[in-house]
Amino acid sequence: MLKGQAASQWFVYGTLYTVAILSFGIKFILKYRHNSYEVIRTGSVMFFQTTFAFLIPEIMAGLNSTKDLPYYDLKNVWPLNYYLFEQWNVNALLVNGSLGMTMLLFGVASILVITPILTYKFGKRWYCSWVCGCGGLAETAGDSFRQLSDKSTSAWKIERWLVHSVLVFAVISTVGIVHSYLPKNNTYKIWEDGAVVKQYDTFFTQSNFLILVGTSLTIIFALIWIFRRNELKQDARYGAIGFLFMILAFIGIHFMSGTENLFFFNHGAVKSAYGFLIGAVFSGVIGTGFYPILGNRAWCRFGCPMAAILGLQQRLFSKFRITTNGGQCISCGNCSTYCEMGIDVRSYAQKGGENIVRASCVGCGICSAVCPRGGVLKLENGPLEGRINSEAVLLGQEPDLMELLSNNKK
Ligand code: SF4
Ligand code: SF4
């Protein structure tokens, strides 16, 4: 009815997904009805799932009478939407005139412009806890399992390696796939049934594209290294390894990959492997099916490349932080127990006032909601200066109070 066509299997899937978020969302709102942040946040994920992911794409496709637009979840940003830059999707958008072109440009702007600005202002919570469908399902249907997340330091180490490796893999495979269908000269042709249906003059030749991506990444990495190295601490070195790996891969793509192959693998096989292993097994089967074993945010924490990008932005240049008032903390541990991202929130509060500025924090606010001492944990936005204040608190077992007092007087 929405599209004026028979429903596809994706429509059925979207319907079930939306119904799950709506029904469990109502349950969640009733449970946290005394906490306005939780009520509004859950209303937001229910709204974005119902409209941006479900109704609007169907209605837009129905209004577009000339060609079939591909299904496009407007709130799914690359790399979460891993097929955005695949040839079939790009071609389908391009042949659909200005509407398709607008959607393609919106997809590019989402990751390059909209995402960094919103994360700067609000932290990654604007997406992970207020908009994202995966996060929406985790927060609503997965609410009963949030306490099962692993809080150990080894889980934190695995998380950082795994999620950033998936991101590096997503960047390299996307660049390789786009490179495979771009022209060697400046004319991009769209073929259908053996005939050219459209052609465009384009700056994006294979070599220009690789140079552009490599140069952009180098500039971003250089800026981080010069101005924000301290925020990453020892992880800056791992970031450098990831960056070098990507640049070497781009050089490899230039010399070793063609229209058929990405290095030694067929493109179709790489796309299927990514779609199956990351898109289906990791995000679907493990990420959702394993809620009762790994907690409700296993995918967001260990596998989502979008969460990895937003987490880097949050750590490097966001105004968001959770402030702690350690003097009132009674060390009950509720906050750590119910943190779905496995953050030991209590340890921050116990240090006497260290802000929580963690890349993985999705700003769900549950740590604050379950704290029996209201006001200890607050989700706040503030200036960038001084937000990472781990050195500013009393870390020693026996601080010399007389010395601190005399320093304060000075
Ligand atoms: S630290 Fe608090 S706001 Fe952040 S993910 Fe954990 S429970 Fe949610
Ligand atoms: S829930 Fe509140 S009181 Fe309990 S440990 Fe966490 S910050 Fe302290």
Side-chain angles (χ1 to χ4, degrees):
M1 189 177 75
L2 288 169
K3 203 171 164 183
Q5 288 177 10
S8 68
Q9 70 269 41
W10 300 113
F11 181 79
V12 178
Y13 173 73
T15 308
L16 293 175
Y17 203 99
T18 307
V19 167
I21 289 185
L22 291 179
S23 50
F24 283 101
I26 291 168
K27 174 175 174 268
F28 185 92
I29 286 175
L30 290 175
K31 180 175 168 187
Y32 290 96
R33 62 187 174 280
H34 304 300
N35 187 310
S36 53
Y37 180 77
E38 297 304 327
V39 171
I40 297 170
R41 182 176 70 75
T42 308
S44 171
V45 286
M46 290 161 75
F47 167 78
F48 277 101
Q49 177 60 35
T50 313
T51 54
F52 279 56
F54 185 57
L55 292 177
I56 294 177
E58 292 291 332
I59 292 170
M60 280 171 74
L63 291 175
N64 190 43
S65 55
T66 49
K67 286 270 180 184
D68 252 353
L69 276 173
Y71 174 78
Y72 191 123
D73 179 345
L74 288 168
K75 62 176 180 40
N76 257 10
V77 180
W78 178 90
L80 194 56
N81 175 358
Y82 54 85
Y83 57 80
L84 177 64
F85 297 116
E86 287 184 11
Q87 187 172 20
W88 63 269
N89 194 48
V90 170
N91 284 354
L93 291 173
L94 287 176
V95 296
N96 272 290
S98 49
L99 181 57
M101 183 63 93
T102 307
M103 286 162 79
L104 187 59
L105 291 176
F106 175 72
V108 177
S110 299
I111 190 67
L112 294 181
V113 184
I114 301 171
T115 301
I117 292 174
L118 289 176
T119 310
Y120 166 71
K121 286 183 85 69
F122 306 111
K124 74 195 263 192
R125 60 178 163 160
W126 78 267
Y127 190 75
C128 297
S129 290
W130 289 69
V131 173
C132 177
C134 303
L137 195 71
E139 291 293 333
T140 52
D143 176 54
S144 321
F145 308 106
R146 61 176 72 241
Q147 71 279 6
L148 298 173
S149 62
D150 191 336
K151 316 292 190 291
S152 65
T153 314
S154 49
W156 184 16
K157 281 186 187 151
I158 294 170
E159 166 196 318
R160 286 185 296 175
W161 273 105
L162 206 50
V163 77
H164 294 113
S165 300
V166 173
L167 175 60
V168 168
F169 181 44
V171 171
I172 294 172
S173 62
T174 302
V175 168
I177 284 162
V178 174
H179 174 268
S180 73
Y181 65 75
L182 285 177
K184 288 194 190 319
N185 55 29
N186 291 84
T187 310
Y188 183 69
K189 294 176 182 163
I190 298 177
W191 296 80
E192 242 178 53
D193 302 328
V196 177
V197 289
K198 256 190 181 169
Q199 64 179 47
Y200 298 88
D201 288 337
T202 178
F203 160 82
F204 290 101
T205 61
Q206 286 186 331
S207 334
N208 285 354
F209 172 68
L210 284 179
I211 292 168
L212 184 72
V213 178
T215 311
S216 310
L217 274 178
T218 306
I219 293 170
I220 292 169
F221 186 78
L223 290 174
I224 292 173
W225 193 258
I226 295 167
F227 296 110
R228 286 278 183 265
R229 197 176 352 161
N230 289 341
E231 271 78 353
L232 290 180
K233 300 212 166 104
Q234 67 267 38
D235 287 346
R237 241 179 303 138
Y238 301 128
I241 294 170
F243 166 74
L244 278 179
F245 195 73
M246 285 192 280
I247 295 296
L248 288 175
F250 297 160
I251 295 169
I253 288 171
H254 180 68
F255 289 108
M256 296 165 62
S257 303
T259 48
E260 295 296 320
N261 290 335
L262 179 58
F263 299 110
F264 307 108
F265 308 100
N266 182 277
H267 272 298
V270 174
K271 277 189 276 186
S272 311
Y274 189 88
F276 180 70
L277 293 175
I278 307 292
V281 175
F282 204 160
S283 84
V285 178
I286 298 176
T288 308
F290 281 35
Y291 279 177
I293 300 169
L294 298 172
N296 59 333
R297 286 273 194 176
W299 159 248
C300 314
R301 188 178 171 193
F302 295 102
C304 177
M306 182 70 194
I309 293 180
L310 296 177
L312 283 171
Q313 293 172 355
Q314 175 158 282
R315 180 78 189 173
L316 291 170
F317 58 79
S318 171
K319 293 158 90 80
F320 172 70
R321 83 289 312 271
I322 299 177
T323 57
T324 64
N325 179 355
Q328 290 180 8
C329 173
I330 54 169
S331 298
C332 67
N334 269 1
C335 50
S336 298
T337 302
Y338 289 99
C339 176
E340 57 197 356
M341 298 305 282
I343 298 170
D344 188 2
V345 182
R346 174 173 58 177
S347 68
Y348 287 83
Q350 283 177 331
K351 281 187 203 164
E354 181 177 357
N355 292 338
I356 302 170
V357 186
R358 284 276 291 269
S360 59
C361 173
V362 288
C364 64
I366 292 293
C367 53
S368 173
V370 298
C371 175
R373 302 295 302 250
V376 178
L377 302 166
K378 282 188 188 155
L379 283 73
E380 292 184 304
N381 291 340
L384 288 182
E385 295 75 39
R387 89 203 147 106
I388 299 176
N389 61 345
S390 52
E391 289 85 19
V393 292
L394 303 180
L395 292 171
Q397 294 296 313
E398 293 171 343
D400 185 340
L401 293 177
M402 290 312 291
E403 189 189 329
L404 283 168
L405 201 61
S406 63
N407 281 346
N408 269 351
K409 276 184 187 162
K410 282 180 206 164

